[in-house]
Amino acid sequence: MSDKQSTRTPEKHKINYAFREKLNAVAEGYRHNFCYQCGACVADCPTGNHSETFNPRLIMLMAILGFEEELISPDSEIWNCTNCYTCSERCPQDVRPVDVIIALKNICYDEGKAPELIGKVSDTVLTDGITTKITSLAERRRAELGLAPIKQYPVEDIQKIIRGK
Amino acid sequence: MKYIPFFGCMMTIKYPWFEAAVRRTLANVGLEMVDVDGFTCCPDPIYFQARDKIEWYTVAARNLTLAEAAGHDVITTCSGCTATLSEVNLALKEDQKLKQQINERLKEIGPEFKGTINVRHAVTVLRDDFGIDQVAKTVKRPLEGLKVAVHYGCHLLKPSRIMRVDDPDRPTILNKLLEAIGAEPIHHDLTLLCCGRACMTDSIPNQMVAEILDAVKAQQADCMGLICPSCFDEFDLGQITLGRKLGKKFEVPIVYYFQLLGIAQGMSLEEVGLNMHKVKVDKIFDTSPARA
């Protein structure tokens, strides 16, 4: 193995246990601990098959080693996961890689390191109760189709049960 | 048996003709719907779940408590809503500690989550509660000769631990429902490929969409049939914008299953909104009067 490669081998990397504890504290994040790096998640991953850099096994490995900088960023590979759950079907260890990736995304959002679009789209649930903008055109089309008008969404209830950011 | 429909944001606002198709076709099959007031966004399994999973559970649980109060199972017609409501319903039923945590948040606004109902996609209810034969009996104008490339999408089937609908690698549910209305389901190598909607980098879903559309064309299918408005977005409008980018015309009509069912039951293209699509679909249907 060349020197260049060996600088990134697990042996030379000090495991960031503090980050792993942080991940363990997020919903479903603890599942990364079950991963034994078999690679069953890789072959049928649609993003992996359409990207030279996305690899669910490597994302799990980075979680195990605590590569916080690589994982917790708006440019992290995790944002290219399609949430298709094929990896969760293949995983013999019940890691549910999509759920670990979602836990990593939750950390990103919490630390202000998620892509802007995440906040922008999800905020509309707090402000409008829904994620699609109501337009007069939509109202008109519903009427033409004989459907009931769009009802007021209970935004106040939503604001009481979730925090804004 | 009665069911509570949960149409979600996209179908209510962006694609109301899908809602119209679902309501009319299911009524013909004999399914009775009880509408419940107060539903919000499911919330969506991509953006909102990425924001905060606990809050995602909470908002979804609030929607579920409204259905529990009405006392019937929920039927979903969007794969995103199906994913969110099914996962949250099961997670809270399985994990008492999580249920307690979420109920603590819900206390302020209403009843607690009890775990007394189920959430199922409308196609699952058709197959399991009414039966494929019952669907076939409602057909007045069989779609004979119509080749429909099946696109299952991800969230009807996976995670199979939660969805429990079909074999995620060899699903048959949509094939059977297409055969029931006289159409010919077409499988291709990429029938089960994701539409890529959730990726934050355009180039990845662009490749997936182009490959799937090419595969559909290679099989000489008349259209692509699917059951998810997000997939529909990717393949209908997405096909036009991607085509412009690539300097290419795919011309693959995209149809939501309940529109096909509506046509087979004798409805007009307008009644099920098939005149509203970006990629024109009128050529593929014989719109002669229904054979009663």
Side-chain angles (χ1 to χ4, degrees), chain A residues 85-159:
Chain A
Y85 292 98
T86 307
C87 54
S88 300
E89 294 296 321
R90 303 286 179 265
C91 178
Q93 280 289 96
D94 208 19
V95 172
R96 306 180 192 168
V98 178
D99 290 314
V100 174
I101 288 173
I102 289 165
L104 292 164
K105 289 176 175 176
N106 284 178
I107 296 175
C108 290
Y109 181 79
D110 191 50
E111 298 185 358
K113 291 173 184 164
E116 243 176 80
L117 203 57
I118 299 297
K120 220 171 127 185
V121 174
S122 63
D123 274 347
T124 61
V125 178
L126 276 86
T127 54
D128 305 342
I130 44 167
T131 48
T132 309
K133 197 121 198 86
I134 300 173
T135 59
S136 54
L137 183 65
E139 296 276 20
R140 204 166 67 232
R141 277 181 184 154
R142 288 186 66 82
E144 282 165 10
L145 290 159
L147 297 172
I150 299 165
K151 294 207 174 83
Q152 193 78 35
Y153 286 88
V155 177
E156 280 173 20
D157 276 5
I158 298 299
Q159 289 171 351

Side-chain angles (χ1 to χ4, degrees), chain A residues 15-70:
Chain A
I15 295 174
N16 180 351
Y17 286 105
F19 176 70
R20 289 183 65 175
E21 285 304 327
K22 198 196 287 185
L23 183 54
N24 287 340
V26 181
E28 302 294 306
Y30 71 97
R31 292 185 177 277
H32 81 278
N33 295 292
F34 305 159
C35 178
Y36 54 33
Q37 290 288 294
C38 70
C41 53
V42 179
D44 286 335
C45 170
T47 300
N49 287 323
H50 293 86
S51 152
E52 296 196 349
T53 45
F54 189 93
N55 180 324
R57 182 186 66 79
L58 285 180
I59 292 173
M60 294 308 112
L61 180 61
M62 287 197 279
I64 290 164
L65 297 175
F67 277 29
E68 187 165 14
E69 222 174 285
E70 285 86 345

Side-chain angles (χ1 to χ4, degrees), chain A residues 132, chain B residues 10-11 14-15 17-18 47 151 195 197 209 213 224 226-242 254-256 277-279:
Chain A
T132 309
Chain B
M10 279 186 89
M11 291 190 56
K14 202 167 179 187
Y15 299 120
W17 50 89
F18 289 175
Y47 296 93
H151 180 80
C195 72
R197 170 80 164 194
V209 168
L213 292 172
M224 180 198 274
L226 43 73
I227 48 140
C228 168
S230 287
C231 296
F232 179 82
D233 234 15
E234 283 295 286
F235 290 113
D236 186 52
L237 176 62
Q239 176 180 157
I240 305 289
T241 48
L242 181 60
I254 312 297
V255 187
Y256 182 65
H277 294 197
K278 301 293 180 210
V279 181

Side-chain angles (χ1 to χ4, degrees), chain B residues 4 7 15 21 34 46 53 77 94 103 111 118 124 131 133 157 177-178 181 200 252 255 272-273 286:
Chain B
I4 298 165
F7 286 107
Y15 299 120
V34 180
I46 310 302
K53 189 144 182 162
T77 52
E94 279 181 340
N103 277 337
N118 293 309
T124 316
D133 290 346
L157 306 170
L177 285 168
L178 284 165
I181 58 175
M200 293 288 151
V252 177
V255 187
V272 296
D286 165 20

